[in-house]
Amino acid sequence: QVQLVESGGGLVQAGGSLRLSCAASIRTLSLNAMGWYRQAPGKQRELVASITSSGNTNYADSVKGRFTISRDDAKNTVYLQMNSLKPEDTAVYYCNARITTSYVYNYWGQGTQVTVSS
């Protein structure tokens, strides 16, 4: 099993910034991809950003240009730098790790709350 622990969430005003961290229990180099998802009250969980083991990144259109995902393999940690935060960014943010072999295995952190006030 892969354990993921998120941190860095909190309350910020619109236009502010936060950096989320996700510490993995195994080497991130062993993970084919890591990502951040978020789930707002009454809404489905959505992909925010992802990064592959080779460093390729993808972003949801709603956060592109504002959020940056990165990985520090020495610390087995993935980050999500969130700038120019908007109230609609308010959600619980979940770290995800994926291992792809013959099948796809997904692991999830417990989530960290991000609240953006107007």
Side-chain angles (χ1 to χ4, degrees):
Q1 243 277 335
V2 176
Q3 282 77 50
L4 305 171
V5 180
E6 304 100 331
S7 62
L11 173 64
V12 297
Q13 295 188 30
S17 298
L18 283 174
R19 188 179 75 159
L20 305 183
S21 299
C22 174
S25 62
I26 65 172
R27 291 180 58 80
T28 50
L29 288 171
S30 300
L31 302 169
N32 296 109
M34 297 189 73
W36 289 94
Y37 289 71
R38 67 186 181 188
Q39 188 165 26
K43 296 184 178 180
Q44 65 181 11
R45 188 172 299 186
E46 64 175 348
L47 174 67
V48 177
S50 64
I51 183 168
T52 68
S53 58
S54 61
N56 294 323
T57 59
N58 289 287
Y59 299 92
D61 289 340
S62 60
V63 307
K64 198 168 187 177
R66 299 188 297 121
F67 291 10
T68 303
I69 189 170
S70 62
R71 191 182 69 243
D72 187 338
D73 294 322
K75 297 180 179 180
N76 296 326
T77 301
V78 66
Y79 302 95
L80 184 67
Q81 178 66 47
M82 305 185 294
N83 298 324
S84 302
L85 284 162
K86 304 175 181 179
E88 50 262 45
D89 294 319
T90 296
V92 177
Y93 284 69
Y94 297 91
C95 183
N96 167 263
R98 181 180 302 151
I99 301 176
T100 303
T101 56
S102 298
Y103 300 92
V104 177
Y105 302 89
N106 281 290
Y107 304 91
W108 297 92
Q110 82 287 348
T112 185
Q113 177 70 47
V114 172
T115 302
V116 184
S117 62
S118 300

